[in-house]
Amino acid sequence: MNDRDLPGEQSTQQVVVQPAIELSGVAHSFRSFKALLDVTFQVPLQSLHGFVGPNGAGKTTVLKLICTLLKPQIGTIRVFGLDVRTELTEVRRRLGFMPDHFSMYRQMTVYEYLDFFAAAYGLSLDQRTRVIADTLELTDMGARRGDLINGLSRGMQQRVGLARVLVNDPDLLLLDEPASGLDPRARIELMEILRALRSMGKTIVISSHILTELAELCDSVTIIDRGLVKYCGSMEGLLDHEADYPTYRLTPGQPLNGQFDQLGELPGVVGLEPVEGSQDVRIAIDPALLDSNGLLRAAMDLGITIAKFGPAQRHLNQAFMDLTEKGVR
Amino acid sequence: MLGRQTFALVERSLRVDTRLKRTHFVRLAFAGLILLLLAQVQIGINRYSTPGRDVFENICWLNFFLLNLAGLSFFSTAITEEKEEMTLGLLRMAGIGPLGVLLGKVSPRLISAVLLLSVQLPFTFLAITLGGVNTHQILAAYVALLTFAVMLAGLGAFVSTICERSNVAVSITTGVLAALYVGPHLVHKLFEGLERKEWILPETLRRVDSMLAYVEGSTPWISLFSERGVLSTNFAGPLLGYQPVVDLVAGTCFLGLAWAMFDVCTRNEIRVAPARGLMALFSKRITAGGNRVWTNALAWKDFNFLTGGTIAASIKLVSYIILMGSMAVLIARELRSDLKDSIGATLMLSMLTALLVEIPIYLSRIFREELRWQTWPDLVLLPHSIGWLVRNKLLGILPTFIPAALVFLCGAILSPGFLQDTLRKSFLEAQGWYLISQYVLGLHLVVLLSLGVKWGALPFGIALVVIPNAIFIAACGLRPTLLQYVIPITLAVVISGVCQKLMIDKLRNLASI
């Protein structure tokens, strides 16, 4: 798939000035299993970008390719214009990756852990002291600096993990499922930290399989499924983004009884479903056979009193379901 | 009591084991090795007075060595690996009782060991045709080895039930086996010294010795290889002699104990974290800003958390000084001349041995711990090459060898002549290069294996070096020619190089998993 095939391509082109991440025609296989078929997308600089897909879509593989843990087999990946294949060390200096599992030195105290990574990045003693104090403050872990990591709750370990990826002051943060396993309070607090980081000018990529979790947080989103990018663009664009057929929402003046089935049988109607918690129906039509005026007229001919009619704005979950396929690979 | 669920785990393990190609390859390789040994003796038959017995004795030594390795790694981690992966609770929730878990985890391992021994039997009967050994001896030897395997399996089940971590279980099993092999000898020496000082009666020494004989006789070490053992000429003892009976009883008792203590020892599922060990004493000081991570962070981490840090090194130094000091006093009492040289040589040889043992132990853990706790990708993401990471991790374990090196230095000062002689033998004679090359090869194999196997990289690495070298020595005799040395040295260098390449590739790949 090339740029032109991507839904939401227009909005991406408008936002991108200089991309923080640029993937072009990336494919990757693990033996005979093709994890990524053709992945092309860009992440704008200083944005909070959601990277969403169902389980097994290839999210972690993409993140590992970006952060240089995997070597690209096909295609190119650039981080701040640097090729991950040839300028690996410089790329590593500029990014911080937090994996989805808690891979921590749990025998260390919080302070030792951060000090260890700060020293490993080559920071001087003074720099380390300052950076650790800052990251502890940002993640609100200052009071637990002397605690063993093993004794911390999952949410706190997540904060320490985040503090760790910040010690080298990276421009790009890659967070793989950072909110998984966290309780609602810890999730909200994590999101607040991420907003604070964005305001500091960092580019943040968060992978998740729950789109709604990222809706309020992210400026842009990439949806991936079965190794292919299904959407890349703004969050609003995703909601407005058309499915295969234009969809309208009809609010009847009185409950539909037999008329519901009759609506479904109209020529040109390709989808019909009730909207949960209301009398409304969502109707998808084939524009070659029926337009919105025709649909409205046909509904009135069936004796339906129409209280309201207009294009249906889909819920994020609906958009996600439309874009991704059923079942697992 | 022994319902279907008790054997569910056994059945599953056996199914999995049977389907693995590796299982059959190992057995095939073992049978091939025996045929190789037989062929080698057959070719040089004129050099042996009892060729059949000689080859069979070699096979028995090999089996005995491998059984000990299995005891240290295979059996002693049976239950601890479930604890570490926190899957023991799931097994219990599935309705599998303590005995079911124990049998399910231990018996497939025991069966694997038994099958490995059984597959050899038809081939070892060929040794009879070479002369010097009879059917009764072969059967008695296999009974001795099989019952020893049962004892090791029981011991492993017990130790891994009471321990939380596999490394602790392995250490305890090592201690038990060492006590079994070396303990009686040390106790005898101690009582002999006391008797010489006339602090105890000769009668007491005889009694102690007779008791020690029972302990010593409980392993194939004595039952097979002693002067009156199964492999001695004209052996006519019973198939089920003292050692097989004791080992069977001991194995069953250990299993029974493990069963009895299973619930008590596994009641609480504790999340196992990497050990902080002696570093725990520092935690407050570090957080107070007193101690900080070194500029070489990797070396700091491995020195403190892998080797135990300054405290462990100090304890080691004090222990070596006490041990070596006592040894020096003993030598001083025994010898009247060349005292300085003898003490110096003893210090150097003891510390060299300590170093030769310590180095592979730490090397087997240096990457294993990172992989086990999934921290390796975090290190790979640092802006450094894999080679840099490896070098700095190695630097981290170097300070732990300082105590042994210091005592060695003291020995060198006391006996410079011995040091010169040793260095000359090591570097100017082919035998020295041969030994060094094989040791270096062993280190490479241990590290490479530690990247692939959960437990037992150290014993299997040793086995991979010892077995071919045993064959080499058997083929060439104890004094091979210079030309004969060239082959193993060259092979060791080439294989070590290949190992290094494989290690780097493997370390790179493991970061992305």
Side-chain angles (χ1 to χ4, degrees):
Chain A
M1 183 188 277
N2 58 38
D3 276 331
R4 255 168 289 161
D5 298 329
L6 288 178
E9 171 244 352
Q10 258 192 333
S11 55
T12 312
Q13 279 193 348
Q14 282 164 4
V15 175
V16 171
V17 180
Q18 184 211 340
I21 304 171
E22 201 177 356
L23 278 87
S24 178
V26 174
H28 201 87
S29 301
F30 297 103
R31 295 193 183 175
S32 61
F33 177 72
K34 289 177 178 168
L36 303 177
L37 301 174
D38 185 356
V39 175
T40 302
F41 70 89
Q42 295 180 344
V43 175
L45 200 67
Q46 299 183 347
S47 68
L48 223 160
H49 189 86
F51 191 51
V52 190
N55 292 325
K59 300 187 294 292
T60 302
T61 305
V62 169
L63 290 186
K64 282 184 175 173
L65 283 164
I66 296 170
C67 77
T68 72
L69 279 180
L70 280 174
K71 204 172 178 181
Q73 292 165 345
I74 298 171
T76 56
I77 301 175
R78 291 186 171 275
V79 176
F80 301 114
L82 303 163
D83 192 326
V84 296
R85 223 185 296 244
T86 54
E87 291 157 294
L88 185 131
T89 311
E90 191 50 37
V91 170
R92 285 178 181 174
R93 267 187 211 290
R94 296 192 64 180
L95 65 79
F97 174 58
M98 192 164 86
D100 58 345
H101 52 80
F102 286 143
S103 55
M104 306 175 97
Y105 293 108
R106 297 206 308 256
Q107 73 274 45
M108 291 186 189
T109 64
V110 173
Y111 198 90
E112 284 166 3
Y113 184 67
L114 299 178
D115 202 13
F116 166 70
F117 275 100
Y121 273 104
L123 271 60
S124 70
L125 195 64
D126 287 345
Q127 285 174 319
R128 272 151 56 187
T129 309
R130 204 174 51 246
V131 161
I132 294 169
D134 290 347
T135 53
L136 285 174
E137 191 190 331
L138 181 78
T139 52
D140 199 19
M141 286 298 291
R144 310 300 295 267
R145 66 209 296 266
D147 290 9
L148 281 183
I149 292 173
N150 194 40
L152 299 176
S153 67
R154 196 180 167 92
M156 284 189 183
Q157 287 189 0
Q158 196 72 295
R159 282 163 183 259
V160 177
L162 191 58
R164 192 265 293 169
V165 296
L166 291 171
V167 289
N168 63 320
D169 193 22
D171 299 314
L172 171 66
L173 293 176
L174 301 172
L175 314 176
D176 196 2
E177 309 268 3
S180 69
L182 299 186
D183 61 41
R185 171 175 279 278
R187 272 169 195 256
I188 291 166
E189 286 171 354
L190 179 72
M191 298 306 162
E192 279 169 10
I193 296 171
L194 295 180
R195 278 195 193 96
L197 286 168
R198 178 179 50 179
S199 67
M200 290 174 192
K202 301 209 182 289
T203 306
I204 305 168
V205 177
I206 311 170
S207 103
S208 175
H209 55 270
I210 306 166
L211 182 62
T212 46
E213 190 176 88
L214 306 177
E216 285 179 24
L217 190 70
C218 295
D219 313 311
S220 53
V221 66
T222 296
I223 295 180
I224 183 171
D225 185 31
R226 294 167 196 245
L228 287 169
V229 172
K230 298 290 177 152
Y231 175 84
C232 182
S234 68
M235 224 22 127
E236 296 77 35
L238 175 63
L239 290 173
D240 297 336
H241 166 64
E242 287 187 355
D244 293 340
Y245 296 106
T247 309
Y248 296 91
R249 183 170 174 155
L250 187 150
T251 309
Q254 52 206 27
L256 299 172
N257 293 318
Q259 292 148 322
F260 183 85
D261 292 334
Q262 288 174 318
L263 258 179
E265 285 161 11
L266 285 174
V269 172
V270 289
L272 178 71
E273 59 175 5
V275 176
E276 236 174 88
S278 69
Q279 295 182 40
D280 298 7
V281 286
R282 196 180 280 121
I283 310 162
I285 56 169
D286 183 347
L289 299 173
L290 189 69
D291 62 6
S292 59
N293 288 335
L295 173 65
L296 202 56
R297 255 195 314 273
M300 286 160 73
D301 290 347
L302 289 173
I304 298 171
T305 327
I306 296 165
K308 203 173 165 189
F309 180 81
Q313 196 184 43
R314 294 171 306 162
H315 185 260
L316 279 171
N317 278 342
Q318 184 61 42
F320 182 68
M321 295 299 282
D322 287 347
L323 287 166
T324 56
E325 287 176 46
K326 225 178 188 178
V328 288
R329 279 201 280 185
Chain B
M1 189 172 65
L2 292 176
R4 214 180 141 200
Q5 276 175 323
T6 308
F7 295 103
L9 210 55
V10 182
E11 197 184 317
R12 188 190 157 276
S13 303
L14 288 176
R15 270 181 208 275
V16 171
D17 195 50
T18 312
R19 284 178 196 148
L20 280 177
K21 281 181 188 164
R22 192 183 56 194
T23 315
H24 305 292
F25 272 122
V26 169
R27 284 172 200 156
L28 184 70
F30 221 77
L33 187 67
I34 286 164
L35 283 176
L36 191 75
L37 284 171
L38 285 165
Q40 176 214 320
V41 172
Q42 173 70 38
I43 292 161
I45 199 154
N46 294 336
R47 284 191 289 160
Y48 304 92
S49 56
T50 52
R53 202 194 68 178
D54 289 347
V55 75
F56 186 59
E57 191 172 344
N58 285 340
I59 292 168
C60 287
W61 272 115
L62 186 64
N63 282 323
F64 179 61
F65 174 67
L66 289 176
L67 279 178
N68 279 292
L69 290 184
L72 295 181
S73 53
F74 206 37
F75 293 126
S76 61
T77 56
I79 306 296
T80 47
E81 68 179 24
E82 294 289 338
K83 291 183 189 175
E84 284 171 343
E85 283 168 16
M86 296 187 76
T87 47
L88 199 56
L90 296 175
L91 290 176
R92 299 300 307 274
M93 280 163 69
I96 303 171
L99 187 62
V101 176
L102 280 169
L103 288 179
K105 295 299 296 181
V106 176
S107 51
R109 291 167 195 233
L110 179 61
I111 290 168
S112 292
V114 169
L115 285 176
L116 197 61
L117 289 173
S118 312
V119 79
Q120 307 166 16
L121 202 58
F123 302 102
T124 44
F125 277 122
L126 289 172
I128 300 169
T129 59
L130 295 170
V133 68
N134 58 42
T135 315
H136 180 66
Q137 277 176 302
I138 290 177
L139 290 175
Y142 275 98
V143 168
L145 290 168
L146 287 170
T147 51
F148 182 57
V150 173
M151 195 279 281
L152 289 174
L155 176 68
F158 173 67
V159 173
S160 64
T161 299
I162 60 168
C163 293
E164 265 178 27
R165 293 164 191 274
S166 294
N167 54 352
V168 179
V170 171
S171 306
I172 291 177
T173 312
T174 309
V176 171
L177 290 181
L180 213 53
Y181 299 134
V182 191
H185 182 69
L186 291 179
V187 175
H188 166 76
K189 284 282 172 201
L190 178 74
F191 277 84
E192 198 180 46
L194 295 175
E195 193 260 345
R196 213 178 289 166
K197 291 276 172 199
E198 295 182 351
W199 290 352
I200 59 163
L201 294 169
E203 183 58 26
T204 314
L205 177 65
R206 269 195 295 277
R207 268 192 217 147
V208 169
D209 280 350
S210 64
M211 278 194 289
L212 292 175
Y214 283 113
V215 179
E216 274 187 318
S218 65
T219 70
W221 183 296
I222 297 296
S223 70
L224 283 185
F225 307 112
S226 68
E227 278 176 15
R228 283 184 292 171
V230 172
L231 296 176
S232 61
T233 319
N234 302 325
F235 169 77
L239 280 182
L240 263 179
Y242 171 74
Q243 177 262 321
V245 172
V246 168
D247 280 359
L248 273 180
V249 172
T252 315
C253 287
F254 277 128
L255 191 67
L257 270 174
W259 186 17
M261 296 180 70
F262 197 86
D263 272 332
V264 181
C265 296
T266 61
R267 191 173 293 146
N268 299 316
E269 196 167 65
I270 302 160
R271 188 170 66 173
V272 181
R276 185 170 172 80
L278 296 163
M279 263 300 283
L281 300 169
F282 285 117
S283 63
K284 293 292 172 196
R285 286 171 60 191
I286 287 179
T287 49
N291 283 346
R292 292 292 296 272
V293 173
W294 303 342
T295 309
N296 190 334
L298 278 179
W300 170 85
K301 182 182 75 65
D302 281 351
F303 175 61
N304 285 296
F305 295 103
L306 192 72
T307 72
T310 320
I311 290 192
S314 309
I315 292 171
K316 216 186 289 178
L317 181 63
V318 172
S319 311
Y320 285 154
I321 289 170
I322 294 170
L323 199 70
M324 292 296 107
S326 318
M327 224 178 226
V329 171
L330 280 175
I331 293 168
R333 286 187 179 181
E334 297 278 334
L335 290 176
R336 291 286 168 263
S337 59
D338 299 331
L339 191 60
K340 225 173 80 173
D341 271 349
S342 298
I343 293 173
T346 308
L347 293 185
M348 278 191 276
L349 283 176
S350 306
M351 288 304 105
L352 191 65
T353 311
L355 280 173
L356 293 178
V357 172
E358 271 190 85
I359 292 170
I361 289 175
Y362 288 119
L363 285 183
S364 71
R365 294 180 57 208
I366 196 164
F367 297 112
R368 185 70 241 153
E369 293 292 303
E370 303 284 358
L371 299 175
R372 191 174 163 216
W373 304 108
Q374 297 180 304
T375 46
W376 180 241
D378 293 343
L379 297 186
V380 173
L381 276 179
L382 293 170
H384 307 291
S385 66
I386 300 265
W388 186 92
L389 295 175
V390 173
R391 279 194 298 279
N392 284 281
K393 281 181 78 63
L394 289 175
L395 276 179
I397 60 168
L398 280 184
T400 199
F401 306 127
I402 290 174
L406 281 176
V407 180
F408 182 91
L409 198 65
C410 293
I413 293 165
L414 286 172
S415 178
F418 181 79
L419 179 67
Q420 271 179 347
D421 197 37
T422 311
L423 288 175
R424 189 183 53 77
K425 276 184 181 163
S426 301
F427 296 109
L428 294 180
E429 290 181 15
Q431 196 180 14
W433 283 107
Y434 163 71
L435 291 173
I436 292 169
S437 68
Q438 298 309 303
Y439 183 74
V440 172
L441 171 64
L443 295 181
H444 279 88
L445 288 170
V446 165
V447 178
L448 185 63
L449 283 169
S450 76
L451 302 179
V453 298
K454 262 187 181 175
W455 296 103
L458 183 59
F460 286 113
I462 294 169
L464 281 176
V465 175
V466 168
I467 294 171
N469 277 293
I471 296 170
F472 171 72
I473 297 290
C476 304
L478 285 172
R479 289 250 162 238
T481 61
L482 186 66
L483 199 65
Q484 283 171 327
Y485 273 130
V486 172
I487 300 165
I489 292 173
T490 314
L491 275 176
V493 171
V494 172
I495 298 171
S496 297
V498 172
C499 284
Q500 282 197 15
K501 170 83 177 75
L502 291 175
M503 267 185 257
I504 297 290
D505 288 349
K506 186 102 180 157
L507 284 169
R508 194 170 287 129
N509 292 336
L510 286 168
S512 62
I513 291 171

